[in-house]
Each structure stands twice: as structure tokens, then as C-alpha cells.
Amino acid sequence: EVQLVESGGGLVQAGGSLSLSCAASGFTFGTYAIGWFRQAPGKEREGVSGINRLGQTYLVDSVKDRFTISSDNAKNTVYLQMSSLKPEDTGIYYCAAAVNNLLYVPKGGLYRYWGQGTQVTVSS
């Protein structure tokens, strides 16, 4: 059974940093592409970042130069390092796995497995 578990969310002041983790189990890490999504209250889900089995990565323009995605295959974990956080980064952050392991631009409909999400709140 494929499982994704996010952790690392919390409350932080604007300008602060958080590091999210997505721990995966039930599949051979690297055979799936992993994406990070977020959803703010009243807004549609947004693809934030993605990484594929080749290590190609993507960051949406609004987080470039502030966020970094990385993976540790030995730990079956993908990380989203977030710095210089802004109130508009507030939302529930989800990681997801796509069977198409070359996918790195996160489009929600292409990801099959989803975690339960972790709340990120950035206060002004």
C-alpha cells in the first residue's frame, strides 16, 4: 500500500523558514515522481514544486529563490525547504506521487497518491 506522510508544518512569522518532509512507503522510491501542492482557504489547489526520478525539479514562479525541493532516496523522503515565507504561502501543503516518474511539473490530476497534508501558517 502506497502511503505518503507529510510533516514539518507549523506557525511561523513572515520572513521565517520551515522544512516540510514527505515520507513515502509502499513503493520503490524513485519509481514515482513526487509533487508538492498547497491549498489556501477559498482558493484552488496549486502545484508548488515537483521532482522526478532523474532529479529534475520545478518550482512555481511565486516560490522560486525561496523554496528548494530535494530527495533522499535512502530515507524515502522528499523535502521542501521554505524560506523567506510570506503570508500568502499559508495553506495546507500536500505531497503526492505520480506513476509517471518523469513528471516534474506538478499538475494535480496526474498524481495518483496523496498524503493527508500539513498546515503551514505564516503570520504577518
Side-chain angles (χ1 to χ4, degrees):
E1 179 186 5
V2 173
Q3 286 192 326
L4 301 168
V5 179
E6 303 95 337
S7 62
L11 172 64
V12 65
Q13 289 188 330
S17 300
L18 284 173
S19 180
L20 304 185
S21 299
C22 172
S25 62
F27 63 94
T28 302
F29 206 68
T31 61
Y32 286 69
I34 301 294
W36 282 99
F37 298 80
R38 66 186 178 190
Q39 187 162 23
K43 293 189 177 181
E44 292 187 355
R45 183 179 60 197
E46 173 189 30
V48 176
S49 185
I51 187 167
N52 68 11
R53 69 174 181 85
L54 300 178
Q56 294 174 293
T57 61
Y58 169 87
L59 291 166
V60 70
D61 285 347
S62 60
V63 307
K64 281 182 180 176
D65 300 323
R66 300 190 298 121
F67 290 13
T68 303
I69 187 170
S70 62
S71 67
D72 185 334
N73 288 357
K75 295 183 178 180
N76 276 18
T77 301
V78 171
Y79 304 95
L80 186 67
Q81 307 270 11
M82 308 186 296
S83 62
S84 302
L85 283 162
K86 303 175 180 180
E88 52 263 42
D89 294 318
T90 293
I92 301 175
Y93 282 69
Y94 302 89
C95 67
V99 175
N100 179 355
N101 56 28
L102 296 178
L103 184 67
Y104 62 96
V105 178
K107 297 180 180 179
L110 300 179
Y111 288 74
R112 178 178 294 183
Y113 303 102
W114 293 80
Q116 81 290 349
T118 185
Q119 176 71 47
V120 171
T121 303
V122 184
S123 62
S124 58

Short mmCIF file of all heavy atoms in Angstrom, two decimals, residues 24 32 39 42 47 56 71 77 106 114:
data_model
loop_
_atom_site.label_atom_id
_atom_site.label_comp_id
_atom_site.label_asym_id
_atom_site.label_seq_id
_atom_site.Cartn_x
_atom_site.Cartn_y
_atom_site.Cartn_z
N ALA A 24 7.66 8.50 2.22
CA ALA A 24 6.92 7.59 1.36
C ALA A 24 7.17 6.14 1.74
O ALA A 24 8.27 5.77 2.17
CB ALA A 24 7.33 7.81 -0.09
N TYR A 32 8.50 6.70 -8.67
CA TYR A 32 7.41 7.65 -8.81
C TYR A 32 7.99 9.06 -8.80
O TYR A 32 9.04 9.31 -8.20
CB TYR A 32 6.43 7.54 -7.63
CG TYR A 32 5.53 6.33 -7.65
CD1 TYR A 32 6.02 5.06 -7.45
CD2 TYR A 32 4.16 6.49 -7.87
CE1 TYR A 32 5.18 3.96 -7.46
CE2 TYR A 32 3.32 5.39 -7.87
CZ TYR A 32 3.83 4.13 -7.66
OH TYR A 32 3.01 3.05 -7.67
N GLN A 39 -3.01 24.35 -0.73
CA GLN A 39 -4.35 24.90 -0.91
C GLN A 39 -4.64 25.86 0.22
O GLN A 39 -4.62 25.48 1.40
CB GLN A 39 -5.41 23.80 -0.95
CG GLN A 39 -6.78 24.31 -1.31
CD GLN A 39 -7.71 23.21 -1.77
OE1 GLN A 39 -7.52 22.05 -1.45
NE2 GLN A 39 -8.73 23.58 -2.53
N GLY A 42 -10.41 28.91 0.51
CA GLY A 42 -11.14 29.59 -0.54
C GLY A 42 -10.45 29.65 -1.88
O GLY A 42 -10.96 30.29 -2.81
N GLY A 47 -0.05 23.69 -7.66
CA GLY A 47 1.18 22.93 -7.70
C GLY A 47 2.35 23.84 -7.37
O GLY A 47 2.54 24.86 -8.03
N GLN A 56 15.16 16.01 -11.91
CA GLN A 56 14.70 17.28 -12.47
C GLN A 56 13.68 17.88 -11.51
O GLN A 56 12.85 17.17 -10.95
CB GLN A 56 14.08 17.06 -13.84
CG GLN A 56 15.08 16.60 -14.89
CD GLN A 56 14.41 16.24 -16.20
OE1 GLN A 56 13.65 15.28 -16.27
NE2 GLN A 56 14.69 17.02 -17.24
N SER A 71 15.42 15.33 -2.55
CA SER A 71 15.00 13.99 -2.15
C SER A 71 16.17 13.24 -1.56
O SER A 71 17.33 13.48 -1.90
CB SER A 71 14.42 13.23 -3.34
OG SER A 71 15.44 12.97 -4.30
N THR A 77 12.33 9.89 1.31
CA THR A 77 11.75 11.16 1.75
C THR A 77 12.08 12.28 0.76
O THR A 77 13.20 12.34 0.25
CB THR A 77 12.27 11.53 3.15
OG1 THR A 77 11.92 10.49 4.07
CG2 THR A 77 11.66 12.84 3.63
N PRO A 106 4.23 19.89 -11.40
CA PRO A 106 3.11 19.29 -10.67
C PRO A 106 1.75 19.76 -11.17
O PRO A 106 1.36 20.91 -11.00
CB PRO A 106 3.35 19.76 -9.23
CG PRO A 106 4.09 21.06 -9.37
CD PRO A 106 4.93 20.91 -10.59
N TRP A 114 -1.85 10.58 -2.57
CA TRP A 114 -1.77 11.85 -1.85
C TRP A 114 -1.59 11.62 -0.36
O TRP A 114 -2.13 10.66 0.21
CB TRP A 114 -3.04 12.67 -2.07
CG TRP A 114 -3.18 13.12 -3.48
CD1 TRP A 114 -3.61 12.40 -4.55
CD2 TRP A 114 -2.85 14.43 -3.99
NE1 TRP A 114 -3.57 13.16 -5.69
CE2 TRP A 114 -3.13 14.42 -5.37
CE3 TRP A 114 -2.38 15.60 -3.40
CZ2 TRP A 114 -2.92 15.53 -6.18
CZ3 TRP A 114 -2.18 16.71 -4.20
CH2 TRP A 114 -2.45 16.67 -5.58
#
